[in-house]
Amino acid sequence: MRIILVVFSLMTATVSFAQAPDYPDYRSKKEIFSRIAEKDIRSDIASFSMGGIDESIGKLPLKSLPITELNSNYIKFAGDNIQVKISSVPFDKTKHKLVFYEEKYLVKIDNKPYFGDYGKVPRTMIENVVVVIDHDTVPIPLTAYNDLYNPIFAFYDKGVQKSQDKVYLSNDGHKVYVYLLKQEAGGSYEVTWVIQDKKYVKRVVDFGFLK
């Protein structure tokens, strides 16, 4: 699937670049895949992420949890004494400070750059990321998802509902990777929340691919 998406991206990149509006991109690259220092985490994420595709050759896929519920507002996974739910709510622009470039392109929300159709006012935002392992809830900080907008949990392919989002388990049994991919016309983003030994460790965010 990732190879197909990359090929499609290369075919459309020239057209997308020509149509890209000229406004500043304030999104930070400090959380991108290439900045991952932990070798074990980097190796695992390379096996499924777009940001790590150059390092994925020869890597076997990680075990993933099955989706138990799926619709446009949330997605649920369950298995191996692990439950995960990612949910979204409508974005209410009256409750946020919006910063525009040249009064046209949205570049910051609440004084922070954001991910999800960058340059446009979002339609939805991630409300919560819930991870429960062995009946223990893993606290996920608000800062891990409050700059992520317009998530796509479900899509239809030839009448069949599918999702590109996954929950992966490391081979050593210590880490859980919650993965979300948001494809968009201006350059997609992906986020992986890393859980280790029932504790939130970090997130990895790549963007600007699959235009």
Side-chain angles (χ1 to χ4, degrees):
M1 175 61 74
R2 288 195 299 160
I3 298 299
I4 294 174
L5 293 175
V6 170
V7 171
F8 179 77
S9 174
L10 293 174
M11 292 174 61
T12 59
T14 302
V15 175
S16 299
F17 180 80
Q19 295 176 343
D22 185 17
Y23 54 84
D25 189 343
Y26 295 108
R27 293 173 293 182
S28 173
K29 293 185 178 181
K30 66 181 181 180
E31 296 177 301
I32 63 176
F33 174 84
S34 62
R35 301 285 182 90
I36 301 176
E38 303 90 343
K39 292 183 179 179
D40 54 344
I41 293 176
R42 185 179 182 120
S43 178
D44 283 346
I45 294 180
S47 71
F48 59 80
S49 71
M50 297 301 299
I53 196 167
D54 290 340
E55 300 181 19
S56 66
I57 298 175
K59 295 185 182 298
L60 297 175
L62 298 179
K63 179 181 178 180
S64 61
L65 299 185
I67 296 172
T68 56
E69 292 186 46
L70 175 63
N71 59 41
S72 60
N73 299 317
Y74 66 84
I75 184 170
K76 288 184 177 182
F77 305 84
D80 287 29
N81 294 319
I82 299 171
Q83 299 178 49
V84 175
K85 180 181 179 181
I86 312 170
S87 56
S88 66
V89 292
F91 177 75
D92 184 352
K93 64 181 181 180
T94 65
K95 296 181 180 180
H96 299 272
K97 179 181 179 181
L98 306 183
V99 179
F100 290 88
Y101 176 74
E102 294 185 345
E103 301 182 354
K104 184 176 181 180
Y105 302 110
L106 182 64
V107 292
K108 292 184 180 181
I109 300 174
D110 299 327
N111 293 319
K112 294 173 53 179
Y114 65 97
F115 301 92
D117 298 295
Y118 189 73
K120 302 177 182 177
V121 176
R123 300 177 303 279
T124 62
M125 59 187 291
I126 293 183
E127 177 187 32
N128 210 348
V129 180
V130 178
V131 179
V132 180
I133 303 176
D134 295 328
H135 303 291
D136 296 323
T137 299
V138 179
I140 308 296
L142 183 63
T143 54
Y145 56 85
N146 68 350
D147 58 351
L148 305 176
Y149 296 89
N150 295 345
I152 296 178
F153 301 129
F155 67 95
Y156 283 89
D157 180 16
K158 298 179 180 179
V160 179
Q161 189 180 46
K162 297 182 178 180
S163 177
Q164 294 175 323
D165 307 329
K166 298 281 188 178
V167 173
Y168 295 96
L169 309 180
S170 64
N171 292 324
D172 63 12
H174 289 279
K175 293 176 284 294
V176 177
Y177 302 101
V178 181
Y179 175 77
L180 173 69
L181 172 63
K182 164 63 167 72
Q183 286 186 252
E184 57 191 51
S188 308
Y189 77 83
E190 64 180 355
V191 58
T192 302
W193 294 282
V194 182
I195 315 298
Q196 182 169 346
D197 297 324
K198 298 184 182 182
K199 295 181 180 179
Y200 172 77
V201 176
K202 64 191 299 180
R203 72 175 189 176
V204 179
V205 183
D206 279 275
F207 59 95
F209 53 88
L210 297 180
K211 297 181 178 180

